[in-house]
Amino acid sequence: MVLRQSFLIILAFFGMVLCGLVYLNTNQNSCKPEIIEKVITKEIRKPENFALRSSPGLVYNQPSALVSRTDVAPVTSWLAPIIWEGTFDPTLIDSIFKQQNLTIATTVFALGKYTRFLKDFLESAEEHYFVGFRVHYYLFTDKPEEVPEVKMSENHSLTVRKVPSMNRWQDISMGRMEILEKLIKDELASEADYIFCLDVDTKFHGRWSVESLGRLVGVIHPWFFDAPRNQFTYERRPESQAYIPAEEGDYYFTGAAFGGSLEDVHHLTKTCWEQMNIDIANSIEAIWHEESHLNKYFLYNKPSKLLSPEYLWRDINAGAGQIKVVRFTHVAKNNAEVRPNK
């Protein structure tokens, strides 16, 4: 009796082993090769600041966990860095990003009389903007014959695109979002890693480089960096797609400079253009046009990095205790004279 029970137990054990082997073989054979290949070859998106490797032997100042600027906020409440002079080491950060072989696309629009600002913009950019990195400027203008000859530095290039003239400066301002969306979608995917969109009536005075790179980047407006949110000139009419309620708002961002990764800026420009079209269909125009829609977007799609007003200051001679370096400013101009409509 005992012998018979032992035999049955051994038989059951070998039966279980045999079933397991059959099950494994069946599953291996049913796993199609193309599915395995897809898993292995699936593209992995490169994370922001991928491979932050410092070069051996590089000499730079020791960072401190205790000492930093105390007169400005270096980080937002959602833990995005705010870039001020004294919050980064240019030697170290340049060394890190040069290993990534990046290309920065940069768009600028110069229509009508705004072509007069091109020479200062391009010449000052070549002196201060992403020096030592690969930059491709895309200039959109209705007067390509008025584009000045400016010598490009090594790894910097300029492409001029002709666009139709417009009768209203508001349409020029808002139309940029559509052009930017199409440029990123149709051309830049294989040509650039990041993009910045900058106003032409500006001039560089100091370094603007890889410290500004991030997934989604906004520049804090120089007139509102120290103002409470109830003073922000958001769009306050609920009828507009750019509407922001009085009790909401983080920062007020300028529409004269923004950027980020191609994917994120494409989503930004596409969304803003769609929202502006809804407003147009409802016969409404946001108070500050595309800047109003940009602020609405940034409120609910938080920037991953913010640039301080150093990156678009009021005027080279305007003072503020927090501004240690003026990197980029609007230039003085007579709006009534340069704009196509008053």
Side-chain angles (χ1 to χ4, degrees):
M1 184 71 178
V2 174
L3 183 63
R4 182 180 179 184
Q5 287 180 340
S6 299
F7 176 78
L8 290 174
I9 291 172
I10 294 171
L11 184 64
F13 173 78
F14 278 105
M16 291 172 64
V17 171
L18 181 62
C19 289
L21 292 172
V22 171
Y23 174 80
L24 288 173
N25 184 63
T26 302
N27 274 277
Q28 286 176 346
N29 290 335
S30 66
C31 189
K32 297 180 180 179
E34 60 265 28
I35 295 178
I36 295 175
E37 183 178 0
K38 285 182 181 178
V39 172
I40 295 173
T41 61
K42 183 178 179 181
E43 183 179 354
I44 299 174
R45 182 182 174 187
K46 184 170 71 173
E48 181 180 336
N49 293 346
F50 175 77
L52 298 178
R53 298 190 182 96
S54 177
S55 302
L58 182 68
V59 178
Y60 55 92
N61 294 328
Q62 179 185 349
S64 173
L66 303 176
V67 179
S68 65
R69 288 190 60 170
T70 59
D71 58 334
V72 294
V75 67
T76 69
S77 57
W78 60 91
L79 299 181
I82 306 175
I83 307 304
W84 298 87
E85 177 68 8
T87 61
F88 64 94
D89 187 311
T91 300
L92 176 58
I93 200 168
D94 282 354
S95 172
I96 290 171
F97 276 89
K98 279 183 179 177
Q99 300 176 60
Q100 298 186 29
N101 196 30
L102 301 172
T103 296
I104 297 91
T106 302
T107 62
V108 61
F109 290 73
L111 278 74
K113 296 180 180 179
Y114 276 75
T115 55
R116 69 181 61 176
F117 302 113
L118 277 170
K119 185 175 175 60
D120 270 357
F121 175 88
L122 290 171
E123 288 184 345
S124 64
E126 283 306 285
E127 186 178 354
H128 299 292
Y129 184 69
F130 284 99
V131 175
F133 292 87
R134 193 161 50 246
V135 174
H136 193 158
Y137 302 99
Y138 291 85
L139 168 60
F140 297 90
T141 180
D142 57 345
K143 297 181 178 181
E145 69 280 1
E146 295 187 9
V147 176
E149 290 283 343
V150 174
K151 181 176 174 56
M152 295 284 111
S153 59
E154 186 180 4
N155 294 323
H156 285 207
S157 61
L158 172 66
T159 296
V160 178
R161 300 282 174 83
K162 186 172 183 178
V163 293
S165 300
M166 297 183 183
N167 295 323
R168 300 174 67 244
W169 70 268
Q170 295 92 337
D171 293 332
I172 296 172
S173 180
M174 291 189 292
R176 294 188 304 174
M177 291 295 186
E178 179 186 21
I179 293 174
L180 291 171
E181 188 271 332
K182 290 180 178 178
L183 176 70
I184 297 171
K185 179 181 66 175
D186 297 340
E187 296 185 47
L188 296 188
S190 61
E191 296 183 12
D193 302 282
Y194 295 92
I195 183 171
F196 276 100
C197 313
L198 306 176
D199 274 6
V200 69
D201 52 337
T202 51
K203 185 175 180 178
F204 292 88
H205 302 275
R207 172 195 167 98
W208 179 321
S209 195
V210 290
E211 74 279 355
S212 66
L213 296 178
R215 181 183 55 76
L216 187 61
V217 181
V219 181
I220 300 173
H221 200 291
W223 293 104
F224 298 104
F225 76 99
D226 56 352
R229 61 161 65 114
N230 62 4
Q231 293 181 15
F232 294 168
T233 54
Y234 289 150
E235 174 54 63
R236 300 301 191 184
R237 293 169 294 175
E239 298 81 12
S240 172
Q241 295 297 308
Y243 167 66
I244 296 177
E247 66 276 9
E248 295 187 39
D250 298 318
Y251 303 86
Y252 190 89
F253 296 95
T254 177
F258 60 91
S261 72
L262 296 183
E263 180 182 0
D264 285 272
V265 177
H266 179 259
H267 189 266
L268 180 157
T269 54
K270 185 174 186 291
T271 302
C272 288
W273 178 239
E274 290 172 348
Q275 299 302 305
M276 284 188 282
N277 277 330
I278 294 173
D279 274 4
I280 291 170
N282 292 323
S283 301
I284 191 168
E285 195 170 88
I287 181 172
W288 289 114
H289 317 105
E290 94 285 5
E291 184 174 271
S292 298
H293 290 275
L294 179 74
N295 273 278
K296 173 68 172 291
Y297 186 89
F298 278 152
L299 178 58
Y300 301 116
N301 301 269
K302 305 296 190 190
S304 64
K305 181 173 287 185
L306 285 70
L307 304 184
S308 71
E310 297 169 0
Y311 291 83
L312 189 70
W313 189 233
R314 306 165 185 170
D315 180 89
I316 189 65
N317 297 313
Q322 299 89 347
I323 305 299
K324 309 299 183 185
V325 174
V326 175
R327 305 179 187 278
F328 191 51
T329 67
H330 267 126
V331 298
K333 64 182 182 296
N334 183 342
N335 286 333
E337 192 271 327
V338 297
R339 289 176 175 175
N341 59 302
K342 309 298 185 285

